[in-house]
Structures are given as C-alpha cells and as structure tokens.
Amino acid sequence: MSKVKILNDPVYGFISIPYGIVFDLVEHPYFQRLRRIKQVSLTHYVYPGALHTRFHHALGAYHLTCQAIDVLRSKGTEITAAEAEAVGIAILLHDIGHGPFSHTLEHTLINITHEQLSVMIMEKLNQEFEGKLSLAIEIFNNRYHKHFLHQLVSGQLDMDRMDYLNRDSFFTGVSEGVIGYDRIIKMLAVHNNHLVVEEKGIYSIEKFLIARRLMYWQVYLHKTVLSAEQMMIQVLRRAKMLRHRGIKLGVQGSLNYFLENTFTQQDFSKNKSILLDRFASLDDTDIAFAIKGWQNHFDPVLSFLAKSLISRRLFKLEFQDQAPRQDDINFIRQKIEKQFPFSKDVANFLLIVGKETNTAYSTSKEEILILLKTGEVKPMSLVSNHGIQPKMFTKHYLCYPKEIIKE
Amino acid sequence: MSKVKILNDPVYGFISIPYGIVFDLVEHPYFQRLRRIKQVSLTHYVYPGALHTRFHHALGAYHLTCQAIDVLRSKGTEITAAEAEAVGIAILLHDIGHGPFSHTLEHTLINITHEQLSVMIMEKLNQEFEGKLSLAIEIFNNRYHKHFLHQLVSGQLDMDRMDYLNRDSFFTGVSEGVIGYDRIIKMLAVHNNHLVVEEKGIYSIEKFLIARRLMYWQVYLHKTVLSAEQMMIQVLRRAKMLRHRGIKLGVQGSLNYFLENTFTQQDFSKNKSILLDRFASLDDTDIAFAIKGWQNHFDPVLSFLAKSLISRRLFKLEFQDQAPRQDDINFIRQKIEKQFPFSKDVANFLLIVGKETNTAYSTSKEEILILLKTGEVKPMSLVSNHGIQPKMFTKHYLCYPKEIIKE
Amino acid sequence: MSKVKILNDPVYGFISIPYGIVFDLVEHPYFQRLRRIKQVSLTHYVYPGALHTRFHHALGAYHLTCQAIDVLRSKGTEITAAEAEAVGIAILLHDIGHGPFSHTLEHTLINITHEQLSVMIMEKLNQEFEGKLSLAIEIFNNRYHKHFLHQLVSGQLDMDRMDYLNRDSFFTGVSEGVIGYDRIIKMLAVHNNHLVVEEKGIYSIEKFLIARRLMYWQVYLHKTVLSAEQMMIQVLRRAKMLRHRGIKLGVQGSLNYFLENTFTQQDFSKNKSILLDRFASLDDTDIAFAIKGWQNHFDPVLSFLAKSLISRRLFKLEFQDQAPRQDDINFIRQKIEKQFPFSKDVANFLLIVGKETNTAYSTSKEEILILLKTGEVKPMSLVSNHGIQPKMFTKHYLCYPKEIIKE
Amino acid sequence: MSKVKILNDPVYGFISIPYGIVFDLVEHPYFQRLRRIKQVSLTHYVYPGALHTRFHHALGAYHLTCQAIDVLRSKGTEITAAEAEAVGIAILLHDIGHGPFSHTLEHTLINITHEQLSVMIMEKLNQEFEGKLSLAIEIFNNRYHKHFLHQLVSGQLDMDRMDYLNRDSFFTGVSEGVIGYDRIIKMLAVHNNHLVVEEKGIYSIEKFLIARRLMYWQVYLHKTVLSAEQMMIQVLRRAKMLRHRGIKLGVQGSLNYFLENTFTQQDFSKNKSILLDRFASLDDTDIAFAIKGWQNHFDPVLSFLAKSLISRRLFKLEFQDQAPRQDDINFIRQKIEKQFPFSKDVANFLLIVGKETNTAYSTSKEEILILLKTGEVKPMSLVSNHGIQPKMFTKHYLCYPKEIIKE
C-alpha cells in the first residue's frame, strides 16, 4: 500500500524512500557498497559508537533535503516534481565516489578526489538509467539555472554538513555537536535564486558554525583519531613501496591492482569502465582484512605498523602551535632508528610530521546569506561576528611510537 | 589526574574504566578483537544504524554493573572492593568467547558454544594475569557463595540483557525497546543472598519483559534479518562442503583452518593454546572479506549466495504458525532445482526450513524475585501476569530466493 | 515571509501553525485560557515536571493530525484543503471545554461533561467566526460522511491519545510511556472509509496499548496523585457545602457563582451566553488561589484540607482488589471522628471510599482495524492478543489522613 | 528498604533524596512553596513547555552537586560526610529567597535581593532545625575554609548554572542550550583549594559558555518574553500607585501588604519573623490571580495592562544597538497619550525604555581555572579565546502597545 519504503533511523526516527528511481538507486550495488564504508574512518577507536556508514549519511542527507524542499515550496518557491527528485538524487549520490576509509586514504590509494569520482560514477549510472540522472548531474555540477538547488547539495549550509554534524554527534555521543537542524531548515528561503536564512534563524546558524568548529577539534581532528588514521596511511604507503619493490603482500584482486599502480584522474578518464568497476569493488573490508594479514608479514616495518593498529597501540601525537623545528625532528628520527633498527628507512614510516587546519566558516567561499526582517539580504559575516571566525586555525604535530622517550 | 579512563557512550553519556586490571583487560588484544564483532550480526541490513559491537556492549554492561553495585551497597549489602572488581571483570568478559557474527555462525564454524569459549579464554587470561581473574571466574561459573553477584552477570534480569536491550534499541532506532534501566537498577536489592526487585519497581519489570519480547519479533527475529543471517550460514556451509571436497576457496590462515575442520569442545580442551589463538584471530572482517571474494568463485551455488548477500538481494522469508507441510517443501525444492540448475544439491543451500522461538520470561529458570512492601519475597509470576507469558512462542518459516514464484 | 507561525515544542521539536483561521483560534482568549489549565491536574505532586497544559497538548495533537493527513494523502486518500483545515480545528478544540484541573473537578464544580462544553464553545466560536467552524463541528460530532476524519479526532487510536501519551511521558520522565507515534502515523491508511493500520505496524500498536495501560497505573492512577486529587475534590465539596449554608468563603466572581450553584447541561443550554462566559473566565489559578486562602478559614475541616494540600501532607491511599468491607470503613470513620473532632460530619470529607478502573483497549467500542498484507481488514483483537486485554481492571481504595493509625 | 526517596526527573532520569535533614528540608513548606514559583517567569508565553519551577531546579542542582562530590572524592579530594551534606543543603536552598515570578518582580514588590532573603530564610530554618544548617550557611556565605565547596554553589561554573542551562533548554525545547554537563562534572578537580577543570574538558567549557550566551539572547532576553515581563512589572507598578492613592484593588492578605508598603532589607532585618512569614506565603498564584481580577478594575490603565497580559496581546519590543533618542521617545509618548487617553500619566505605564546586558563570562569575577596536563593551573581567559568574550553586550529597547503606529 505504501508508496514509500520506510527505514528506521535513530537520528531522525524514520526516513522515507519513494519507490521509483530513488529506491532503485539505493538498491544499486554501487550505493549498497557505501554500507561498507564508515563515515568517519577510524574515529571509533576513540568514540566506539562511531561505526556509522556513508550509506546511512547519504540517506540522512536525502531526508533533510526533502524537508528543505517542503519548506521552500511552502514559502512560495516553485520547485517542480522533476527538480525535487533531481536534487534528491544529487544529494543521495554526492559521496558515491568515496573509497575505503573515506578521506583517510583519499590520496594514498589513488590520485583523484572523491568528488571527481562521484561525478564519474553518476555519469555511469546515468547511462544505466537511460538519462534519468541528467538533471541531478547538472544540479550537482552547478550548471542548472536554479542555483539554490545546488546550494542545498553543496555550500556552507548544505544538507550534507547538516546531516553529518547531526549524525557524527549522535553516534560519537559528543553532545557538543548537536545542532538545531530542524529549526535551520524551517528558516530557509529563496531570494534572487539564492538560498537564504530568515533573520530569526541567526542564532541557530551561529550555533551551527560553533558546533562545526568544536566537532573538528573534539572529533575529526582528535589527536588519537588522527594518530590512528596517520598510522593507516603509513601502513598503506609501506605496502605500496614493498609492492613496487616486487615484494608479495598476500593480497589479490582490486586492492592489489591499486597497490601496484597509482592512478590519476586522467587514467580514470581513459579506462573508465575498467577502473570504475575495480574501484567500486573496494571498501573498508579489503583494507581491514589486508592489515590484519600484514601483522604476520616478514617486513618488520609493515608488520609493526599493522600489529600496532590492530591492537590499538597507537602512536603518540601532540599538537603544537608552531611547526616543529628540524632539530626536534632529527632527534626523534635518530631515536627511532636506534630503537627500531628494522630497515634503513624505518623513520620515514614511524615518524609523521604534519599539520591540520580548520576553517569553520569562510568569507572567501559563497557566504551564508541572511534575509533581514527589512527585506534586505546580507552575508552572515556582516550580520554576526559570533561563530564566524573566518580565520583558518592551524595545528602542527609530530606523531611517533609511544616507546620513544624524549627528554 | 583522573584515576579512570572515560569513554563517550551515546547510550549512557560516559563510561568510566578504572586504571588497573580492568583497564588492562580492555587493552588486551582478546578484548580489542570484540571491536570487530558486531553485536547484532546482519541486523544492519534492516536497521542501518545497528553496527555497534560486542566491545561496546561489554563496556556498557560493565557500566551498569558498577551502578548496580553502588545501589546494593547503599542499601546495606556488603560487597568488598575485590568482589566488586571481580563481578565487573566477569561481566566485561562474559561475551569474550563470541566468534565472527556472534550467534549467527555459532554452530557453523565450530561446534562449541560461546559460553564455553568465554570460560576457556578467561582461564587463559587468568594465567596471563597471574590469578587475578580467579574470583571473577568463580562468580561467572556460579561457584561463589554470594549468589546475587552471579545473578548480576547471568540471570533473567542481568546487566547483560539490560545493556543489550538499551543498546540495540538505541542503534536500531526502535523505540519499542526503550527500558527504564536506571529505575530498575535503583530498585535492586539483596534478600537471602538473592537479587530482588523492590515492589514499586514492578511496572518497570513488566515493561522490561514486554520490551524484550517486542525486540525479539521486531529486531532479532525480523524476517529480513533472519533471511540475511540464514543466507550467511548457507554461504559458510557451502564453502565448508566445497573445502571438504578439496576445492580451493582462496582463503588462508585461521579461517581456512576452521573451514577445513569442525572442532568440538573436546578438541579445544586438548589443543587449547593453538585453537584458542587461532580462534582469537578471527572476527567479522575475515568472513566479510571471504564472502566478497566468493562472489567470483567458480562454484555457481557459492557465488550466487555470496553475490546475493553482498548486493542485498535477500531471500524471501515468511513466518507461519504451523510447520510447513512436506508437500509444500518439495514443491519449492523442485522449483529451485528447475530455475537454478547449478548443481545436484542446490536446493540444500537455497531452501531453508526453520523455526524460531522466543520466551521473554521463563518460570522454569530462576525467576525474578519481587520484594513486597510487607517484607515478603515472591516470584514475578505470582505477583504479576503482565509481560510474563512464560509460554514459548514458535514461528516456522520457509526461506528461498525471491525469484521462485509459487502459485 | 513564513506563512506559518512556528512554536518550539520539546516533544516534537517544532509545531507549525498556519496563519488564518487556525492561528486566529489559537490567539482567541478561549484557547489562551488553556494555558492556565494543567493537562494532568495534580500529577506534578509526584512527577514535578508534569506542569504542561491543555494548551500545549491541543497544539501537539494538532501537529500529529497534520502529519496523519499528509500520510493518508500520500497513500491516495483524497482529503480536500477544507477538510484538512476542519479536522485540524476539531482536534485543536477537542478539549476547549475543560475546566479548572481538567478531569479532577469535572463533576464537582458543574454537572456537565467537558465534551458537551467543548461542543457548546465550538458553536459559540462558530458564530463569532461566521460559520467557518461548521465542517469542524460536523467532524467532531461524527456527522460528516468521511468517517475516518472523525476517527483521527476521537477513537481508540486518535491523535488525542497519541499526543497525551507522548507528552505526559515526556514531562513526567516516565520512559514506560514512550510510544512509536511517528511509526504508527506512517502506518495509517484508509480502507472503506475507516482508519486502518498497515499490518507491519502491529507491534507498534501493541506497544501503544501496553504503554497506555502502564501510564494508567504508574501516572494517571498513581496512588499519591489520586490522593491529592481526591483531597482537592473534598476541599471543593466542603467549600460548596459551607457556601450553601450561607458561610462566606472570601471568594468572588465566577468561582463564587459556581460554588453557590451546581449547573447542569440544561442550565447551560438555557443561559448559554452568561454561563459560558462565566465558565470561560475560570482556570486553575482561581482554584489554587482559593485553596491557598482557605488555609486560614475558620471552618476547621476546610482549613485542615487546604493546609494539607498546599503543604503536600497528603492522605494515605492504598489499593486493594476487593471493595473494602463496611466494618473497615466504619472503623476508620470512628478513628477520624475521635482524632479530628472538628465537626459532626468530618469523616464525610476526610475518608474517601473509591475505586478506579482502567481499560486500555475495549472490544465493545469501535476497534482498531488492521489492514493485512493480503488486503483483508481485521479488528486488532482477532489479529493479536498482546496488549489487548479488553478486560476492565478495577482497583478499590480507602483514602484518609496519615495520622490515623489502623491496627 | 531504600534509604533514599527517588524522584522522576525528565532531565536526569532520577534524583535521589536521602532521608534525614535533606528530605525534611524538601518537605518543609518553605521549600514546597517553590513548587509554585516558575523558574523562568513568563517565558512560557513564547516556549509553552517552560513551566518548570524553582522547586525542580533546586532538586536538579542538588543532584549535580552530589555527582560533583563523587567525582572530586574519586580524585582524592577529602570531603567529609558532614561537608557533603552541607554543600548539598546550600545548593538546595540557594534560591529559597525567590519571590513570585522570580527575577521579574524582584525589585518591584520588595526592595531586597533574593540572595539576601535566601540567607535570612536559611538562618530561620537553622533555628528550626537546631543548628544543623550552620555549616551549609558558612559554605553559602563563603566563610568556610574549603573554598571549592562554595564554588560548587556559586561561581562561574557552579551547579546552579549547570542545572538551569540544562533544564531551561530541556523545557523550552531550545537545543542550542544543551551542554555536556556530565562531561564537565567528570573533568572537575580541586587544586590549591580551588575548583579546576582538567585540560581535556576545555571544549566542553567553551561550549558551556557559548550555550549560556545563546540561551540569553534566544530565551532569557527573547523580545517577546521581555515584553511580557515588562508588562507584568507595569501592572504591579500601577497597582502599587493606585493603592498608595487609597484605591481598593480587591486584594487581601500578604499581597495587599506588599502592595501597600515597599520593604527594604533593613525592614526585613527588624521584623524578621513577621515579614519572612508574610513573604513566604506569596507565590506566582497570588500575582496571577490578582492580575486576572484586575482585568475588570475600574482604572483603565490597570485593566488595559491586565487584559493585554492575560489574553497575550503583548507589547511590541524591538532591540537596537544605541539608546533611543529622546525625540523618538517623546514621539511615541505623544502617540500613546493620544490613542490611550485613559489618564494623565498613562505613558508612564505603556511605554518602557530599557536595556538588557549579557556577559556570558567575566574576567573580573573569579575565573574558571584550567588544570593543564603539565600540572600548571591557568585562568580560562589565558587558555582559550573561544566562548569567553568577557565584553558585556548591551541591547536597548523601546516597548509599547502594538496599536501604536510609528511612521
């Protein structure tokens, strides 16, 4: 009887998926694959509940987009049935190009961004679905004349951010990230083809930006999370290096293929059908299984890294305001080489010098617009100075085994 | 400064782990392994949030046990520091013997229950920790004279059930399972060495039993969940059969070892050190990865099952009150053999005839005891008839590919 | 810009009130009066958060009704804009006839039910709003041909019950009352002009009925709540008696008017304009203030009752399965007369012999209908035996001052 | 059996009150009176759920204080049973001196702060309870040598603020106010006799300060709430003026007493027993009832204000950054005098010129101290610049009837 499929979602209660193209896309193996890609990579090492997936996030963002469309229509903005479906598809597929462990391995396995892959996969699906995704792709690529539809999918106040803050906050249990998403959505409107927020929603926007910033430092860039993710990157770097030297890794299939080669966007464009299929067969499982196996690999660096990661004996990571001095780096490097005399280049994999930046809000991107009670529209940065902080925050870090004792 | 490690838990807010033996056990690879074993197997195929693990559950049950101890002490029951620690360890490790996909594969991979394995692993850890787990093991095995401590770990109102109902309800988003766990715990007391519930907590107990029953039908025995789990069992059965016939499965290591042999409790007792280590190296990852690989196996039955499971093209499963008639079974069997002429015995893997039972509360086990205001103690079944239903509910089912059309 | 007024509701997040007749009704003094009538009378004496009002409940029920209409329309049931508005108005005003302390004083102050008064007040508003409420009144009185619209307002699964269970559970903090209201609403459909629930919603219906029963015993008929409410009734009974004997109560205006007279439905029908205005000027404040003042009244029975109620020195109340024996009643009566020798008839006000009944579900009223997957429609009682219990539960009680010692 | 009384609290689940002095204080009429004083005055005019009381808040703050004591003890800080009880009593009674509608009428009815009254009432209770409150009073007045105990009761991170942010956020439904109170409490420690927060709790403190600021603008200083509260002040001012002119107000008892006189702290000190008893007999009911009655008073200014408030026809209030110019004030004043020619001084009651300030955090008061991982202790303002904003924000406003049309 129901014309919709209803899914339980602990975050929103229920999510409705209309039967038809949207349902068919959800059922497609490409989308089902997202069930096996965790939304926040290794964050669960610190927040054990954070095992939610890109699949769940995409459905949540779809749900919020449907709500936003209802609100905009109720305020007189015309959105046709075809446009509503298309913007829904665009948000549903916005992360379809994510590979194993999402951002963590984004530039380690292949040399192409997940956005570029999302577009390629959407185009492939468009062929399969006989052109029914064309409008969605136009909106996704910001080539459709109704600009505000693109803004729902991608912008400083898009349904992607709205869902991931909600969802990550829910599954980590970090109440700091709770946002008044329902209030924000109710305050959305369209003005001169741009998404705007009614003035009385301004506190909720401030709160949204502050929550985003806090989630960055408390979750996304948590030093233990970062350490785990850096270690995973080193595992993969080491594995690739060994493979290039002709050493067997006990890995077959697609993962082996991407370990042996580092494909770029050009490669993907040329060999679309093969590379996309290969890519789409990968998910978190492949990496997790390989690392488990590498615990017993004969290369001592690879096995040390793999064992440490699996048993959660994570590297020490501490933030500092300044870039570390070369002297300090050299000092730790020598310590490592002395304490871990595994191989000549061991310190290249056991010492990570890095930095992280966080801009909760940027005035150089398209700004969030506020519709004042007077009818005027102003950018957020001119209306409020709370939560804005367009400054980029940078934190530097050194990351290395806990066994190293500095003094 | 803190003498405890604090973990975020979206269910309870925070969980405190005291440094010392409890913390060391949590850090142990055997316990960390539980991070890779989902609490409710393939339930996430229906409730996408249900990806929580045995690791998280064990910590949650530990947390509730600490609360229960505080309550009992505040009512004058003497519990020494050593006893409190021991009961905490017992609940922390109560599920340590679970293998990949918990209950689903319990009798498919090996022929020994997870409780038996839990005891064996605890004993192994006891050696490693030089006897510090002895009291915990006594309590777990109900050999300690303070019987109520065992009841906190295992009984019809234990902290295990309390946590899993809470947690599964939270992560599935099924509000039907919400229980007043904090109220129940506050109403606990000890009377004649038995755990009892103060009379004014009786509605909460009724609600707890009803929630448990509803969670059974709505989540644990949801027909789609059951179908997915049955399919996974068939995949493993098929793989084992092929392996016994000498066919290669592309699987190495411990999983291969358990596919080639079906070990019993006796085997484990004899070769404890080898088998336990082998067992402890397995988790959900191994099975998930193997099934992904088997999608391309040359055995058509194995690859059909694997592909269907990975792409979520699940078998049809419908409950019926009576056991299906042999005629109906044969009819479907013939259909399968006609439509899927893969192998002679194909129907043995594509048709599952089964039944599920559910007893929310049993009067034949040690009953929940109610401490009346008069000072008298009575079993729950004599005090209330709501939620009790000591009757066992049985539902039969046939499960087979959706492509089969009966008429 | 918004065409709706948005209200924060901690239960549902937000409630939208469209500008127009619905908004105007909310702004009307008759409806604003509901802000001063607590939803659950003196329940806050036990659950201190339960101070929510009929105003909030009416808005909540309106909100759920709007959701239900959306769901029914999405399944193909035609509901015109005028019908949707009318059913919204009907639910908004369904409790408009409640007087001070809702049910508690329903038959003490005046002799007419709140439903009868609701209709009278709706008719008065209909005149004021020039006939715009006619359709709403037809639906409320079940005279409109689309029967299912009436069922949304009044029935065993109406939006009234749905909201009050949610809301009372939320503000009391009794998690036992949590219901899956959003799931239930999503499962509603219309079949042969009747509201039905799709089969897969059956567990939620069971849970709804069980939650309702538990809320009865744990909240609505909680013995301390009942005691407080019975004491308030006795205060008012005593005050009326004194007034009839010509004794001044220090009370003016409408409350005095209703203390001096006990009006029936006939009286209201005859003197509609005067009596309704008088009635509509009363709310909880008048009663609460009068009782505060009566603490110092020279009648010792009145002042004893008032002081006890204000300082929360509540009478003892214990439930028993059988009606109390006359001997027991006489015994306590004599004790009271001996310990409280205030007046000849003191025991008529300090001893309450009563009973309470609770039928969570009735098979003699229009049953909840289940739409089976086969297309058949069956009453709930034939589909499930959980939660139904069409039996009426009765509990008897004696209620009297704690100072009385029985032995 | 339980040695504690357990109360349901929707915010924290349960609150335990130990039998003994704490329970006896809760049962005392002075404390029960707080059941009839709303925590946030007329905020429910905007957020209909915000009907919670000072009674509930005091219990909540008590609950958090008990948790904080447990945490501090677990970190090695010695707190004796007597001290724990005393600090519990101090927080329980910290608001006992609040009169009707809390802050709103604080300087209108009497000329003494609620803190001064709290101390006087505690002293009176101390006599009644034979000196058992002496230590609590010392702590409340910051005369006890363990300074950190006072800080739990009163400071920039006290359990008062912690509870009211939680509670007001919960009952208004404004998710912006949600704070990680449990995390903050877990991070508390004592260093050199001062309360400190462990470094890893710093994000939660930032969030706490930001939430406080947002709650100010979104709830406490919401323009509609402010308008209603200002109107109530004018009603009382008008009533007092009339009474001083000898005009009858139809009000008896204590309220009349405080309308006829404006007592100062000196008066209270002199006539403690009489004035405190009179004061303690007042609560929201008296004011609410009086205003209802004044709707029909013959003074047109009083009745206009009373009717407007009861029917929620609230004055217009708009914030502006600068103090309004005298010209603008005069202009509106003339409009009022023309449109409401009730009395010569009508504009003194229908036009309010005011300002509100908000300092979420002050560096001039005792600062929140952070215990760094290095062991050093630093004030919050030197560790973080987020959320601090020690600047005072000021907003000016004019408030007058909506009927006035400026142009």
Side-chain angles (χ1 to χ4, degrees), chain B residues 20-35:
Chain B
I21 174 106
V22 176
F23 182 77
D24 293 344
L25 284 167
V26 169
E27 293 277 275
H28 194 281
Y30 280 4
F31 193 80
Q32 291 289 322
R33 180 184 70 103
L34 298 182
R35 284 184 181 275

Side-chain angles (χ1 to χ4, degrees), chain A residues 224-247:
Chain A
T224 312
V225 172
L226 213 56
S227 165
E229 293 179 353
Q230 281 300 331
M231 288 174 72
M232 181 174 266
I233 290 172
Q234 303 315 314
V235 171
L236 269 293
R237 278 185 60 225
R238 182 74 186 178
K240 273 199 141 176
M241 199 209 69
L242 296 173
R243 194 73 202 90
H244 289 187
R245 290 192 191 157
I247 293 166

Side-chain angles (χ1 to χ4, degrees), chain A residues 7-10 13 27 29 32 35-36 44-49 51-53 55-56 59 170-174 250 252 281-283 285-286 288-289 292 310-313, chain B residues 7-10 13 27 29 32 35-36 44-49 51-53 55-56 59 170-174 250 252 281-283 285-286 288-289 292 310-313:
Chain A
L7 275 172
N8 274 63
D9 178 10
E27 293 277 273
Q32 290 289 322
R35 285 183 179 275
R36 295 182 295 275
H44 64 94
Y45 264 23
V46 175
Y47 299 102
L51 293 157
H52 54 298
T53 62
F55 176 81
H56 215 171
L59 290 173
F170 183 89
F171 282 102
T172 54
V174 175
Q252 292 110 30
S281 74
L282 285 186
D283 56 50
T285 321
D286 303 82
F289 182 76
K292 277 193 68 179
I310 295 294
S311 319
R312 205 186 170 281
R313 290 195 303 270
Chain B
L7 276 172
N8 273 63
D9 178 9
E27 293 277 275
Q32 291 289 322
R35 284 184 181 275
R36 296 182 294 275
H44 64 93
Y45 265 22
V46 175
Y47 299 102
L51 293 158
H52 54 297
T53 64
F55 175 83
H56 215 172
L59 290 173
F170 183 88
F171 283 101
T172 55
V174 175
Q252 292 111 31
S281 74
L282 283 187
D283 56 48
T285 322
D286 303 84
F289 182 76
K292 277 193 67 178
I310 296 295
S311 319
R312 204 186 170 281
R313 291 197 302 268

